[in-house]
Amino acid sequence: MGNKNPIHLNLNVRGLAPSATLAINEKSAEMQSKGLPVFRLGLGQSPFPVPERVVKALQDHAHEKDYLPVSGLRQLREAVASFNQRTQGIETNPDYVMIGPGSKELIFILQLVYYGDLVIPTPSWVSYSPQARIVGRHVYWVPTSPDNYWRMSPDQLEKICRTDPEKPRIVLLNYPSNPTGYTYPLDRLKKLAQVARKYKVILVSDEIYGLLHFKDQHVSIARYYPEGTIISSGLSKWCGAGGWRLGTFSFPDSLDWLYRAMTIVASETYTSTSAPIQHAAVTAFSGGKDIDHYLVQSRRILKALAQYATDRFKELKVEVPMPHGAFYLFPDFNIYREALAGKGIFTSVELCKTLLEETGVAILPGYEFGRDPAELTARIALVDFNGEEALRAASDNYSNKILDDCFVQKYAPRISEALNRLSEWFRELD
Ligand SMILES: Cc1ncc(COP(=O)(O)O)c(C=O)c1O
């Protein structure tokens, strides 16, 4: 009636809009096509190449063409279980390791098969909440503040669970965090685990940045709540292989029913993860001296960049405590609120849009991560540099030297330039 389209527009993505991330990416592409410089500090992609031996393993298995079992290649599931043992001292049963085309897909399928509210801190990674909404789950955002490193507290979790103790819930913790780079200290992990156990929540520990903890001291909360925790990981961040699309879920034996439910959906949707990639992933998860070396150098470089960037922000009076890992910073530009209002900027989305137009620096608004639109936070991904060159320099010329500001300026000149442009822009506001 009045609608020329003969098909009813009855979509399951109502209320979901294309993200600001997409808008920023499109604007960046448009600017680049006009020959304008764009500094890509928006997309959270690893700057480092996939370790050589892992690439070689992929080449060697390019001929693998058969469908693999829905949960994944047995050898890979065993390698992931050994990885959990080696890196975290956690016993996981290879029978309950599930391989998927990215941990994102696995997190989505979990939300599809488990009828429970999703509990996440704000800020959180951009996709958790839209996934929950697509499958019709309620999202419970837990407010956090920078004084607390943007982390959920055990008391907050307790209060949420106490309101309806029997309600099924998925609590998703990601640390080192995207978008903040902060992690949880041991005592807090233990207390969060106690609350999770008390209310029998399904806890997903998203440890995709675990190996990028700058001090290599990542601790999985699965140590303290093994019977209810699923460890989520993959190749995308620590192994530089986001585009390979491989993620892993390690379930405890007690969640075998959930594992089975997820494999049913997997079998009816993606069938199995790409065979050559799974074979190559065996090499990645089995590790070795070369991969350890690659990780040590990656962490050194990321730490140096985070230090450099936090120092630059301090000069602007924007306090961002040094992150603990990953490649992000989450500054709050509130101190410039008045000056920004004078320019007609009242939200993080407006701030990032204007920054891109006027400085060429692409960063993402805090709003995308679940923050109030009027809060002037943004996520900065320190990834616009040649990871291969930086790795080589860190292991050769800088093997016994601190990766100082000179290193950053020489091997991550675009990041250094982007930060200069941001500094200049904010200074001119004053
Ligand atoms: C916190 C977090 N979790 C999960 C993912 C998904 O990673 P993938 O699907 O590549 O395994 C990402 C990717 O950006 C992420 O930042």
Side-chain angles (χ1 to χ4, degrees):
M1 286 183 294
N3 183 355
K4 285 192 198 115
N5 192 333
I7 312 275
H8 292 295
L9 301 175
N10 190 11
L11 295 170
N12 199 23
V13 289
R14 283 181 178 153
L16 291 174
S19 65
T21 314
L22 206 69
I24 296 221
N25 282 343
E26 278 172 13
K27 181 87 199 159
S28 304
E30 184 195 317
M31 287 172 65
Q32 277 180 319
S33 72
K34 289 184 186 152
L36 296 167
V38 172
F39 299 83
R40 293 194 165 264
L41 275 51
L43 194 66
Q45 171 159 286
S46 167
F48 300 115
V50 178
E52 257 171 55
R53 198 156 52 85
V54 181
V55 173
K56 174 80 173 56
L58 180 61
Q59 287 164 346
D60 291 346
H61 288 94
H63 61 280
E64 300 284 354
K65 60 165 195 60
D66 291 344
Y67 291 117
L68 290 178
V70 62
S71 313
L73 185 69
R74 182 74 201 174
Q75 223 187 331
L76 175 57
R77 296 162 74 204
E78 283 169 4
V80 172
S82 311
F83 172 91
N84 292 335
Q85 172 64 49
R86 192 173 74 244
T87 57
Q88 288 299 321
I90 294 173
E91 282 297 334
T92 41
N93 185 343
D95 289 349
Y96 300 122
V97 170
M98 185 168 175
I99 310 299
S103 60
K104 189 179 199 169
E105 181 68 18
L106 294 174
I107 295 168
F108 180 68
I109 294 182
L110 171 69
Q111 301 205 62
L112 181 76
V113 300
Y114 189 75
Y115 287 83
D117 282 1
L118 176 69
V119 180
I120 42 175
T122 159
S124 271
W125 177 50
V126 290
S127 290
Y128 299 141
S129 159
Q131 288 189 347
R133 290 188 57 184
I134 289 168
V135 294
R137 305 284 175 265
H138 177 70
V139 181
Y140 199 104
W141 287 101
V142 184
T144 69
S145 74
D147 324 332
N148 223 332
Y149 292 86
W150 308 103
R151 294 180 297 218
M152 179 175 2
S153 77
D155 282 351
Q156 286 178 306
L157 186 58
E158 168 73 41
K159 275 190 197 131
I160 295 162
C161 295
R162 209 189 305 150
T163 54
D164 187 350
E166 296 304 318
K167 197 174 201 177
R169 294 181 177 91
I170 295 175
V171 176
L172 234 157
L173 275 194
N174 160 234
Y175 61 98
S177 149
N178 175 4
T180 68
Y182 300 124
T183 192
Y184 283 80
L186 277 196
D187 59 333
R188 191 174 279 221
L189 287 180
K190 286 181 191 165
K191 286 185 189 146
L192 283 164
Q194 274 169 8
V195 181
R197 170 172 294 137
K198 183 169 160 193
Y199 294 100
K200 301 189 189 66
V201 304
I202 302 287
L203 187 58
V204 180
S205 186
D206 182 344
E207 305 185 12
I208 195 129
Y209 299 98
L211 286 181
L212 297 181
H213 184 295
F214 297 151
K215 293 187 179 161
D216 191 19
Q217 287 174 357
H218 173 74
V219 173
S220 174
I221 194 168
R223 286 196 202 172
Y224 310 117
Y225 179 41
E227 73 277 20
T229 305
I230 301 167
I231 306 172
S232 176
S233 185
L235 291 184
S236 301
K237 309 299 172 177
W238 66 267
C239 196
W244 286 20
R245 308 309 301 127
L246 187 134
T248 65
F249 257 23
S250 303
F251 296 79
D253 291 7
S254 43
L255 296 183
D256 57 340
W257 50 275
L258 195 49
Y259 158 81
R260 268 192 287 276
M262 284 186 56
T263 57
I264 292 170
V265 176
S267 74
E268 301 294 4
T269 50
Y270 62 77
T271 307
S272 61
T273 305
S274 156
I277 302 292
Q278 290 205 47
H279 282 280
V282 174
T283 302
F285 280 102
S286 302
K289 277 202 175 123
D290 53 344
I291 292 176
D292 285 346
H293 179 76
Y294 165 93
L295 283 168
V296 167
Q297 302 309 331
S298 303
R299 290 183 201 114
R300 283 179 76 207
I301 295 167
L302 295 176
K303 183 176 167 210
L305 284 165
Q307 187 66 64
Y308 182 86
T310 49
D311 289 349
R312 294 293 83 74
F313 282 117
K314 228 174 255 157
E315 289 161 14
L316 280 178
K317 302 192 191 65
V318 174
E319 285 294 333
V320 210
M322 178 69 182
H324 305 124
F327 28 73
Y328 306 113
L329 282 189
F330 196 67
D332 183 347
F333 297 100
N334 186 46
I335 185 164
Y336 291 95
R337 177 169 295 281
E338 253 177 55
L340 289 168
K343 250 176 111 65
I345 296 172
F346 300 96
T347 66
S348 59
V349 171
E350 288 163 358
L351 174 62
C352 292
K353 189 169 164 280
T354 313
L355 280 174
L356 177 59
E357 284 163 359
E358 298 190 3
T359 67
V361 181
I363 60 176
L364 297 185
Y367 174 64
E368 285 285 287
F369 300 87
R371 300 302 300 174
D372 188 288
E375 183 184 88
L376 297 169
T377 44
R379 189 196 74 176
I380 299 191
L382 299 165
V383 294
D384 192 354
F385 64 98
N386 183 330
E388 191 170 356
E389 242 174 59
L391 277 178
R392 202 175 311 118
S395 358
D396 298 347
N397 335 4
Y398 279 82
S399 65
N400 295 316
K401 277 197 277 179
I402 291 188
L403 303 186
D404 53 10
D405 288 2
C406 291
F407 175 88
V408 173
Q409 283 153 0
K410 179 152 186 209
Y411 294 100
R414 295 180 59 75
I415 289 182
S416 164
E417 169 69 11
L419 293 170
N420 285 344
R421 286 177 175 229
L422 291 182
S423 291
E424 217 170 284
W425 191 86
F426 279 104
R427 283 212 173 94
E428 278 172 12
L429 284 178
D430 267 349

